[in-house]
Amino acid sequence: MGTVDDSLAELPEPNRGCLQRVIEIARTVVPEAEEGMSYGMPALRFEGKPLLGVTAAAKHLSVFPFSPAVIDAVADRLVGYSLSKGTIRFTPEHPLPEDVVTEIVRLRRAEILR
């Protein structure tokens, strides 16, 4: 196990399963991503740069694509979710759509490769 897996293992359900699914999708899109830390949170890294971070707070879960442009690109598909410049917030009861997670990771990978 690594930094991301270890961090997720410490979370209670249903938060753990919800964030694990996000990470599984990211690993499918970018299988060469490595576990690490970025900005103090567990994150997958690609080409030495942060690809996707995840955290759990008291009342929500968060995904960090490390890119305002990526969030802007999928914002119209995330109506009803709490978005900020660098964060997408959601709950286990209202998880992120898997196709949107796939697109977030795909866009961030492309951005890193530029």
Side-chain angles (χ1 to χ4, degrees):
M1 294 195 10
T3 306
V4 173
D5 288 334
D6 290 344
S7 295
L8 294 181
E10 296 174 6
L11 296 176
E13 288 295 349
N15 292 355
R16 179 184 332 133
C18 196
L19 290 177
Q20 278 177 326
R21 185 64 189 135
V22 170
I23 294 298
E24 287 169 4
I25 293 166
R27 286 180 171 144
T28 299
V29 177
V30 185
E32 60 274 31
E34 299 175 347
E35 294 196 19
M37 296 290 286
S38 193
Y39 298 96
M41 74 184 83
L44 293 178
R45 298 179 61 82
F46 174 66
E47 299 286 319
K49 296 183 179 177
L51 176 71
L52 187 77
V54 295
T55 63
K59 296 187 178 188
H60 65 269
L61 305 173
S62 297
V63 166
F64 297 83
F66 304 105
S67 169
V70 168
I71 292 174
D72 287 346
V74 297
D76 63 330
R77 297 168 62 188
L78 292 172
V79 174
Y81 292 88
S82 174
L83 308 178
S84 67
K85 185 170 124 179
T87 312
I88 302 166
R89 292 174 208 82
F90 59 103
T91 64
E93 298 77 30
H94 192 195
L96 294 176
E98 292 187 6
D99 64 317
V100 176
V101 174
T102 298
E103 184 69 1
I104 289 167
V105 176
R106 188 189 68 72
L107 290 169
R108 179 63 181 143
R109 179 183 185 279
E111 196 174 68
I112 290 169
L113 289 173
R114 274 194 241 140

